[in-house]
Amino acid sequence: MVMRWCLRRYAAARARADAGMATAEYAMGTIAACAFAAVLYKVVTGGTVDDALRSVIGKALDAQF
């Protein structure tokens, strides 16, 4: 009986301890996603990627069938 009570208390304590962790994990995930989006935006709007995309599109339009 005491063992069951201890196990229930332990499970309840673990559930409360993990409840706040989900919010922190979502916050860190959101920050990481925003940082990745900013880096990706800088890369895509850079001159090198723009030139490469223009080259690929130009070659596709000039293809011989």
Side-chain angles (χ1 to χ4, degrees):
M1 179 136 192
V2 173
M3 184 65 162
R4 241 186 265 160
W5 180 82
C6 289
L7 288 174
R8 280 194 312 249
R9 295 290 297 160
Y10 176 72
R14 276 189 57 91
R16 282 192 306 272
D18 289 342
M21 194 55 134
T23 304
E25 289 170 355
Y26 283 123
M28 291 303 294
T30 303
I31 291 170
C34 290
F36 180 71
V39 169
L40 188 61
Y41 176 77
K42 281 298 209 181
V43 169
V44 170
T45 57
T48 305
V49 174
D50 187 39
D51 293 340
L53 287 174
R54 287 181 191 273
S55 173
V56 168
I57 291 170
K59 287 178 185 176
L61 292 176
D62 290 338
Q64 297 292 326
F65 293 105

